Amino acid sequence: MTDFAELAQFAKTSNAWPFEEAKKLVARVERTGQKQVLFETGYGPSGLPHIGTFGEVARTTMVRHAFETLTGGQIKTRLLAFSDDLDGLRKVPDNIPNKDLVAAHLGKPLTQVPDPFGEYPSFGAHNNARLRAFLDHFGFDYEFASSTEYYQSGRFDEMLLKILARFDTVQAVMIPSLREERASTYCPFLPIHPRTGVVMQVPLEEIDLPGGMIGWRDPDTGERFMTKVTGGHCKLQWKPDWAMRWCALGVDYEMAGKDLIDSVKLSGNIARALGHTPPEGFNYELFLDENGQKISKSKGNGITIEQWLTYATPESLAFFMYWKPREAKKLHFDVIPRAVDEYLAFLDAYPRQDAKNRLGNAVWHIHSGKPPAPEFISHEEGQKGTAISFAMLLNLAAVANSEDPSVLWGFLRRYAPTATPEKFPRLDQMIRYAVLYFRDFVKPKKVYRAADEVERDALTKLSDALATLPAEASAEDIQTLLYDVARPIPRYQNFAAKGATPERPGVSNDWFNMLYQVLLGEDRGPRFGSFAALYGLDNTRALIADALAGKFLKVEA
């Protein structure tokens, strides 16, 4: 058992990215002497929450836990999930019903736009609820904050008046970043029209500093108004707003997408102009859809939170977020099986690692230092078990052509008679995900090909060799046999493989690719020895016979 102090020492030398980020916060605390650290994530509820929003909360949570480990839990931490729901709705999202209803309220704060789904008091409230529901489902420890509530309650009043008092300084930061036309009319304050309720982007005509008010004119009617900058009567343009929030709330850490690097710098400069230190943070790369386009809430491209959770666990999604956050990654349905299996591989490795190396394992960060034990099934009690991959389950579903979880359990129980859904609940859950994924993504795309003469001869030899093994042959024995069958066949020999000799060549991936393509209708698959052990040797030989007889090609035709 590793105690907290020893873990903290290991953490100091860990190069896992959450620890690298947390070390910046440790240095901050050492400079300031503060006893609490506030983490923040931001959400613009102009569209339904997308998976990138979850990613920001998940990653920030990982940094938070890394910081708590480094500091031995001596510094209190909080995570604030902040929704900019006082922002004006700029356009109607593509992926909502009742677009005309929403279009009639363009320009108004999101908390004043009717909910097109008819479930909540406003569109902003609807999207906020969707975000909170998922964060709650995953078990995040966070506090939700609404921009509307914070502005209207007066929590931002002191800082808003400070910005008014330092108006010229804030302008000096912002104006050089703007195009000439916009710079000539730019004002960091956006008054909310007292009659129409629209968030107005208008030039400033007057500052009444003692009264805490600004003067402006309605561009359509010419009517002049004086509006308080406090109490929710005004909001700020988003870059000054971001800086104001950091200062008013004392935010110590907030990450942002790579596309916001310049915005982070501008907001940081405004925070300094207000006499505050901007938060620590880093810029993560963006998620792209299958066409390489940036994922957008309003477009609804990519994968939604709900869609991922239809086919895989939240833990697999968290793994996807953890892995290489500074690299752009395509986020579409094809990435799900790999994310599931890579998560399982790290979970499998965790028990074999020492305390120091566990801190570099993704599952330590995903599960806040307490990952569950991996699940293994075995032929007999006490034997070394086998971890079942998502890819394996997809291939079992494919050869059975079944969307019934009980059919897959039938294969598993043939291999491991004592295995049951009750004893292996996470495996049972993964089976249910796998049959849905097979139905929607694998089955429609399966393309079998006929074996040529070399391949037919190789498959016949493989079938004959499998017949010599006992029915309970292990996955390792079957895998060894696979290599032995392929090794003498010139097409599959690989003399560049590690340890290969002229007398005993290695086996190229072309051998396994052929098995997947001819027998499973896939370009890739799980370790074939493990697949055959689960599917059964007789079933595997029957599969080879059916493929050689052209049955799969006939089904396709």
Side-chain angles (χ1 to χ4, degrees):
M1 180 70 71
T2 305
D3 63 28
F4 215 74
E6 186 179 9
L7 202 61
Q9 288 303 312
F10 290 148
K12 289 178 182 178
T13 60
S14 174
N15 60 3
W17 72 261
F19 283 117
E20 292 297 315
E21 290 300 298
K23 289 169 190 174
K24 297 189 295 189
L25 279 170
V26 171
R28 183 185 182 98
V29 167
E30 290 173 348
R31 288 194 307 268
T32 64
Q34 66 195 75
K35 299 301 181 183
Q36 178 172 294
V37 165
L38 179 62
F39 295 81
E40 183 182 62
T41 61
Y43 168 58
S46 57
L48 304 181
H50 67 75
I51 219 161
T53 310
F54 162 74
E56 192 166 307
V57 179
R59 287 167 171 166
T60 303
T61 296
M62 293 171 191
V63 176
R64 179 186 183 186
H65 182 247
F67 172 78
E68 291 171 344
T69 301
L70 281 167
T71 56
Q74 298 302 305
I75 305 293
K76 183 180 178 182
T77 64
R78 297 167 52 221
L79 171 59
L80 194 67
F82 195 93
S83 171
D84 189 16
D85 55 17
L86 192 62
D87 195 23
L89 180 67
R90 295 176 179 82
K91 63 179 182 179
V92 180
D94 296 333
N95 56 345
I96 63 169
N98 299 314
K99 291 185 177 63
D100 291 343
L101 174 68
V102 172
H105 295 270
L106 280 174
K108 292 183 181 179
L110 289 156
T111 45
Q112 296 301 314
V113 176
D115 178 16
F117 298 89
E119 298 172 358
Y120 292 89
S122 69
F123 190 34
H126 177 99
N127 292 331
N128 288 341
R130 292 284 292 271
L131 174 69
R132 292 197 305 270
F134 181 75
L135 299 182
D136 291 342
H137 173 76
F138 195 81
F140 285 116
D141 176 20
Y142 73 99
E143 302 167 29
F144 177 78
S146 158
S147 177
T148 300
E149 292 176 7
Y150 275 44
Y151 267 97
Q152 292 180 352
S153 69
R155 293 191 64 169
F156 290 153
D157 284 358
E158 180 181 350
M159 201 56 60
L160 290 167
L161 291 171
K162 196 170 188 178
I163 289 177
L164 188 64
R166 302 188 184 184
F167 181 86
D168 291 340
T169 305
V170 174
Q171 287 288 84
V173 173
M174 287 302 303
I175 294 301
S177 70
L178 304 173
R179 295 189 302 274
E180 182 178 354
E181 182 179 354
R182 189 175 183 216
S184 64
T185 61
Y186 180 83
C187 173
F189 289 97
L190 302 173
I192 297 176
H193 201 296
R195 294 200 175 89
T196 67
V198 170
V199 180
M200 302 297 294
Q201 188 164 292
V202 289
L204 183 70
E205 290 195 351
E206 179 184 351
I207 292 178
D208 175 7
L209 195 56
M213 305 178 80
I214 57 171
W216 57 281
R217 194 174 299 276
D218 185 324
D220 294 326
T221 67
E223 187 174 4
R224 195 171 184 278
F225 297 93
M226 292 295 293
T227 300
K228 288 185 176 182
V229 300
T230 55
H233 299 289
C234 273
K235 81 173 299 289
L236 291 172
Q237 301 266 12
W238 81 271
K239 292 167 190 173
D241 182 85
W242 207 4
M244 179 275 296
R245 195 162 74 227
W246 290 344
C247 299
L249 303 178
V251 176
D252 295 296
Y253 188 89
E254 182 163 4
M255 58 178 64
K258 186 179 179 181
D259 56 335
L260 298 181
I261 288 176
D262 290 340
S263 300
V264 170
K265 291 178 181 177
L266 283 171
S267 295
N269 289 337
I270 293 172
R272 293 184 187 94
L274 297 174
H276 291 259
T277 302
E280 309 297 327
F282 86 112
N283 296 102
Y284 53 83
E285 265 289 0
L286 305 178
F287 296 120
L288 310 174
D289 65 16
E290 59 186 332
N291 299 314
Q293 300 296 310
K294 176 187 170 185
I295 286 177
S296 163
K297 291 192 299 291
S298 59
K299 290 181 180 178
N301 57 337
I303 305 177
T304 67
I305 291 167
E306 292 83 358
Q307 286 170 331
W308 185 292
L309 294 182
T310 298
Y311 304 107
T313 62
E315 290 79 12
S316 64
L317 176 56
F319 174 84
F320 186 83
M321 298 302 169
Y322 173 85
W323 198 245
K324 298 180 179 179
R326 290 183 175 88
E327 292 186 10
K329 291 186 286 190
K330 288 188 176 182
L331 181 56
H332 51 91
F333 290 104
D334 288 353
V335 308
I336 292 177
R338 181 177 178 182
V340 174
D341 284 343
E342 289 184 344
Y343 164 78
L344 292 174
F346 278 92
L347 190 65
D348 179 31
Y350 187 81
R352 301 189 298 275
Q353 295 175 312
D354 59 27
K356 183 176 182 179
N357 285 311
R358 285 178 174 181
L359 298 185
N361 188 318
V363 300
W364 189 91
H365 297 277
I366 292 167
H367 295 282
S368 297
K370 298 178 181 178
E375 290 185 341
F376 302 103
I377 65 171
S378 58
H379 271 311
E380 298 178 11
E381 294 291 339
Q383 284 188 344
K384 182 181 178 181
T386 298
I388 305 301
S389 68
F390 197 71
M392 178 72 73
L393 294 174
L394 291 178
N395 284 121
L396 287 174
V399 294
N401 197 31
S402 177
E403 301 161 22
D404 184 352
S406 67
V407 173
L408 271 64
W409 266 114
F411 290 123
L412 297 180
R413 274 197 292 267
R414 189 208 59 76
Y415 175 79
T418 61
T420 65
E422 292 72 27
K423 290 177 67 174
F424 297 93
R426 294 204 309 278
L427 176 57
D428 184 54
Q429 182 186 45
M430 191 164 67
I431 288 172
R432 296 178 185 279
Y433 286 132
V435 295
L436 292 176
Y437 191 92
F438 166 74
R439 179 195 68 191
D440 294 342
F441 299 105
V442 177
K443 189 175 182 178
K445 296 180 180 179
K446 289 181 75 65
V447 178
Y448 293 91
R449 70 170 178 83
D452 62 25
E453 287 306 311
V454 172
E455 293 164 342
R456 291 181 68 85
D457 182 62
L459 287 168
T460 300
K461 289 177 179 176
L462 173 59
S463 180
D464 292 342
L466 290 173
T468 67
L469 292 177
E472 67 278 6
S474 70
E476 289 300 325
D477 289 341
I478 299 171
Q479 192 74 12
T480 298
L481 180 141
L482 286 166
Y483 281 101
D484 289 342
V485 169
R487 210 180 303 277
I489 303 172
R491 177 182 292 186
Y492 302 123
Q493 291 173 343
N494 179 9
F495 292 99
K498 184 178 179 180
T501 65
E503 297 75 23
R504 185 178 172 80
V507 175
S508 73
N509 286 332
D510 290 343
W511 166 240
F512 296 100
N513 292 340
M514 182 275 289
L515 296 178
Y516 303 140
Q517 293 164 4
V518 174
L519 302 181
L520 302 176
E522 308 269 355
D523 285 329
R524 62 186 64 87
R527 199 163 182 261
F528 202 85
S530 299
F531 166 77
L534 286 173
Y535 190 50
L537 297 183
D538 289 342
N539 286 338
T540 303
R541 294 188 67 215
L543 183 68
I544 293 172
D546 287 344
L548 294 178
K551 288 187 177 181
F552 304 136
L553 301 176
K554 293 174 183 175
V555 169
E556 262 198 324

